[in-house]
Amino acid sequence: MFKRIKEAFKKFIESASSIIFSREKLESLIDELKLELVASDVAYEVAEEISSRLLKAVDEGLVRSKEDLQRVLKNILIEVFEKAGSVDLLSAARANKPCKLVFLGVNGVGKTTTIAKIAVLLRDNGFKPLMVAADTFRAGAQEQLKIHSERTGIPVFTGKYGSDPASVAFDAIQFASSRGFDALLIDTAGRMHVDIDLVNELKKVVRVVKPHFKILVVDALTGNDAIEQARFFNEAVGVDGVIVTKVDAYEQGGAPLSIAYILGKPVIYAGVGQGYKDLKPFNVYEYVNRILPDFES
């Protein structure tokens, strides 16, 4: 996990520690680090920010040793996530019953499975969740949620294929309120994210549902495309938090950092497997310590 970005930081720290007082040579190494970060799915503007902050720390005399370099880099990364804020989804859901969650994301990122995982998490924490199949155009979309419903025992609300997704979502809200459901997890269409019809459809769903949270699901393995998807959905309808899937198989490592920086919104959970329990709260410090461990001298 995160092998590539970890190796980039390690190589930089080991090379820089021997020339720590030579700004010219250190600047050259920082340029190399920037390229390595970009190759590890760190968006260019994020790599630029890290580089400029690092050089500023050097100019201010804050970097006099390998340990200083390590500390400064960790602080830079942590600050990116702190600026993006954080969300305790369970606490927020308890404060907003019935809680309405709209899930966004292109097809193939694991959105439907993630919805089921969040539904199980909510049920295990005392909620009565209802999954809502508001993707009414993609063949098999409703069937996928039905399969998860059968496996988890969590009910799913469906409409007719081809019907208006916003109408399905509205009907689901009425259904839920009359039957005591206190958490609605609403699936939405995930056609190509350049599709203007999809944008208008999502905007209408959001207007009708008035969700407490709009949660974007991205696949870490798609790298830079995940970052572009994040930009797109945030500009189209707004995003309150992100779930990154398939993190357990992700070597590059930079996507969570880039998404937090570009959106200014928190990464809430990381998908680490196919099981319904394979969803971990995203821990900023664990992530930073994993990609920037205390390398041996």
Side-chain angles (χ1 to χ4, degrees):
M1 193 189 299
F2 310 146
K3 177 182 177 182
R4 183 159 187 169
I5 193 172
K6 177 180 175 181
E7 289 178 346
F9 279 125
K10 181 177 182 179
K11 177 184 175 183
F12 169 72
I13 289 172
E14 289 178 343
S15 298
S17 60
S18 62
I19 56 164
I20 211 73
F21 298 107
S22 172
R23 189 192 192 283
E24 183 179 348
K25 291 180 179 178
L26 188 59
E27 189 171 355
S28 176
L29 285 175
I30 289 174
D31 285 339
E32 290 179 21
L33 172 65
K34 185 163 57 178
L35 295 175
E36 290 284 352
L37 292 178
V38 171
S40 301
D41 294 341
V42 175
Y44 184 78
E45 53 263 58
V46 188
E48 277 280 338
E49 173 77 5
I50 293 170
S51 299
S52 62
R53 291 278 304 278
L54 194 52
L55 279 174
K56 182 181 178 183
V58 171
D59 290 339
E60 292 175 349
L62 300 176
V63 180
R64 295 291 184 183
S65 67
K66 183 177 181 178
E67 291 71 27
D68 288 343
L69 196 59
Q70 183 93 5
R71 184 182 64 257
V72 168
L73 276 169
K74 282 190 174 183
N75 288 339
I76 292 170
L77 301 185
I78 289 169
E79 284 178 21
V80 169
F81 288 105
E82 287 180 341
K83 285 182 180 178
S86 61
V87 171
D88 182 336
L89 190 62
L90 291 175
S91 295
R94 290 190 185 98
N96 292 286
K97 289 185 178 182
C99 185
K100 294 173 288 186
L101 309 174
V102 166
F103 289 81
L104 310 165
V106 301
N107 295 333
V109 298
K111 177 159 53 81
T112 306
T113 301
T114 298
I115 289 172
K117 289 179 179 181
I118 295 291
V120 168
L121 176 68
L122 289 168
R123 182 190 61 191
D124 290 350
N125 282 273
F127 288 84
K128 185 180 179 183
L130 175 69
M131 299 185 291
V132 181
D135 182 354
T136 59
F137 292 99
R138 181 171 64 90
Q142 296 190 27
E143 282 69 24
Q144 284 183 314
L145 269 185
K146 286 178 181 178
I147 290 171
H148 289 304
S149 176
E150 292 168 1
R151 291 174 178 171
T152 63
I154 297 171
V156 59
F157 185 94
T158 62
K160 292 181 179 179
Y161 272 111
S163 59
D164 179 29
S167 295
V168 173
F170 179 81
D171 290 343
I173 293 170
Q174 304 306 307
F175 176 86
S177 63
S178 66
R179 287 166 175 78
F181 291 98
D182 54 14
L184 284 88
L185 299 89
I186 300 168
D187 191 11
T188 59
R191 299 187 295 278
M192 289 299 293
H193 50 284
V194 294
D195 188 335
I196 189 63
D197 292 332
L198 171 62
V199 174
N200 292 332
E201 180 183 308
L202 293 177
K203 286 181 176 179
K204 185 175 181 181
V205 169
V206 168
R207 284 199 308 270
V208 169
V209 172
K210 297 179 176 62
H212 295 100
F213 295 100
K214 299 183 290 287
I215 299 175
L216 174 67
V217 182
V218 297
D219 177 351
L221 300 181
T222 62
N224 287 319
D225 199 39
I227 298 164
E228 291 309 308
Q229 290 165 26
R231 291 183 200 268
F232 166 79
F233 282 101
N234 194 46
E235 291 171 1
V237 294
V239 170
D240 299 310
V242 181
I243 297 176
V244 182
T245 66
K246 305 175 188 175
V247 169
D248 52 312
Y250 180 48
E251 289 192 359
Q252 278 75 9
L257 177 68
S258 297
I259 288 168
Y261 181 90
I262 288 167
L263 296 192
K265 300 294 171 63
V267 177
I268 308 174
Y269 289 102
V272 294
Q274 291 299 308
Y276 292 116
K277 304 285 188 177
D278 292 332
L279 192 70
K280 288 184 60 177
F282 183 80
N283 185 300
V284 171
Y285 301 100
E286 181 181 331
Y287 170 79
V288 171
N289 285 329
R290 186 179 286 271
I291 66 173
L292 251 176
D294 293 325
F295 300 116
E296 295 295 327
S297 298

